[in-house]
Amino acid sequence: SAYIFGDDTLFRENSNLLEHLDIDIDTSLASILQRYKVFNGSKCLKLRYVSARKREERVGITMDSAEFVKSAVNLIAPTTEYFVVYHPELRDIAGAVATRRHLENVRSLYLSSSKGTLRELIQLVRLLPNMTNLACFPGSVDFGPDSVHFREYIDNHFTDYRELKHSFRRWKVLTCGAYDDNAPAAQTALAFAILCVNFDLVFVQPRHRIIFEREVKGAIDSGFYDEHVEKLQRLIRYTR
């Protein structure tokens, strides 16, 4: 629903009590939050959960993805552990996170209907070293997980990311209703397993699990990942 005030009335005197925020953002509210510095670093120090959606506005006024995502990320307080954002572009999320401080406590990130490349997704993971749980769509790439081209893609694009020393362990694969191709999911899971030291668990919808496991097994059998076989086998053993 729309924010009905023309200033920060709703947030006055209660910022230090706020623990859970579920908010619809439009251009007007984004301007108000910025003007009154409602969520600057010294406020909302009990805020643990943030969920943000872009509100549909009247004809002729549109908030673009980058502006919305920046406003959503700016809601995060030093104490925020759970961050949910709907319909983001991965490049916008990564760009906003890269310029925002006080993200060290984010443990769980839920990106509903996210769109972007595997490279953008890995970059985002890298920027949140204390994150343990991620839910999002797979990152797109042009090669299958059992292709030598995908192995070369990993080696050529992520050499500086290898063995990320952080807490990321669990990925929930989000899909749209008609989604039935798990190659992108397998690619993303392989990249996480190879690049992230502690990654060991993938949540896949039951109707997609057989295809997902087949793609991972194909990558293992290809011989392109022999030094990572133990990690990749965990993707099958611990898939939920």
Side-chain angles (χ1 to χ4, degrees):
S1 60
Y3 183 78
I4 63 174
F5 303 99
D7 55 24
D8 63 338
T9 296
L10 190 63
F11 300 99
R12 290 176 189 169
E13 308 300 330
N14 67 358
S15 60
N16 288 328
L17 301 176
L18 187 63
E19 297 182 9
H20 183 113
L21 178 65
D22 194 333
I23 193 167
D24 294 343
I25 300 176
D26 58 16
T27 51
S28 174
L29 178 56
S31 176
I32 290 169
L33 296 178
Q34 181 178 14
R35 187 186 323 136
Y36 291 93
K37 297 180 172 58
V38 175
F39 292 93
N40 71 15
S42 62
K43 297 180 180 178
C44 302
L45 296 181
K46 291 187 177 181
L47 184 60
R48 296 183 65 244
Y49 176 96
V50 172
S51 175
R53 296 176 179 82
K54 182 166 65 171
R55 193 179 77 82
E56 294 297 327
E57 303 186 59
R58 62 185 182 273
V59 176
I61 299 179
T62 303
M63 189 180 201
D64 66 27
S65 174
E67 183 184 1
F68 160 67
V69 166
K70 180 179 179 181
S71 297
V73 169
N74 284 341
L75 301 174
I76 298 175
T79 52
T80 302
E81 296 181 13
Y82 305 94
F83 183 45
V84 180
V85 61
Y86 290 82
H87 305 288
E89 297 282 348
L90 288 177
R91 64 176 179 270
D92 296 331
I93 285 280
V97 167
T99 60
R100 176 71 170 167
R101 296 181 295 173
H102 307 310
L103 301 179
E104 61 271 12
N105 286 318
V106 173
R107 300 290 190 269
S108 294
L109 180 63
Y110 188 105
L111 304 177
S112 175
S113 300
S114 58
K115 296 179 181 179
T117 66
L118 178 59
R119 185 177 180 84
E120 291 165 344
L121 186 55
I122 296 293
Q123 180 186 6
L124 178 60
V125 170
R126 190 187 192 191
L127 291 168
L128 297 170
N130 292 315
M131 180 181 67
T132 59
N133 302 296
L134 172 66
C136 66
F137 277 21
S140 63
V141 71
D142 293 332
F143 313 115
D146 59 348
S147 165
V148 65
H149 299 295
F150 184 67
R151 175 57 197 263
E152 291 172 349
Y153 177 85
I154 293 291
D155 289 341
N156 293 337
H157 288 77
F158 301 115
T159 52
D160 57 334
Y161 290 18
R162 190 163 311 276
E163 297 294 308
L164 295 179
K165 306 291 186 181
H166 58 36
S167 304
F168 180 43
R169 293 189 58 195
R170 305 177 187 91
W171 176 45
K172 182 176 182 180
V173 185
L174 302 183
T175 61
C176 58
Y179 184 89
D180 60 0
D181 178 6
N182 272 267
Q187 292 164 339
T188 301
L190 259 65
F192 285 157
I194 292 170
L195 299 173
C196 304
V197 172
N198 295 308
F199 184 76
D200 62 7
L201 188 59
V202 181
F203 296 89
V204 181
Q205 293 182 16
R207 68 180 182 274
H208 300 315
R209 192 170 298 153
I210 292 176
I211 301 175
F212 174 82
E213 292 181 355
R214 184 182 67 201
E215 295 287 347
V216 174
K217 288 177 181 177
I220 294 172
D221 294 341
S222 71
F224 299 138
Y225 308 93
D226 287 348
E227 70 271 39
H228 302 294
V229 165
E230 184 176 349
K231 280 187 171 184
L232 302 188
Q233 286 175 338
R234 285 200 313 235
L235 296 179
I236 300 173
R237 288 199 302 267
Y238 299 117
T239 299
R240 295 292 184 267

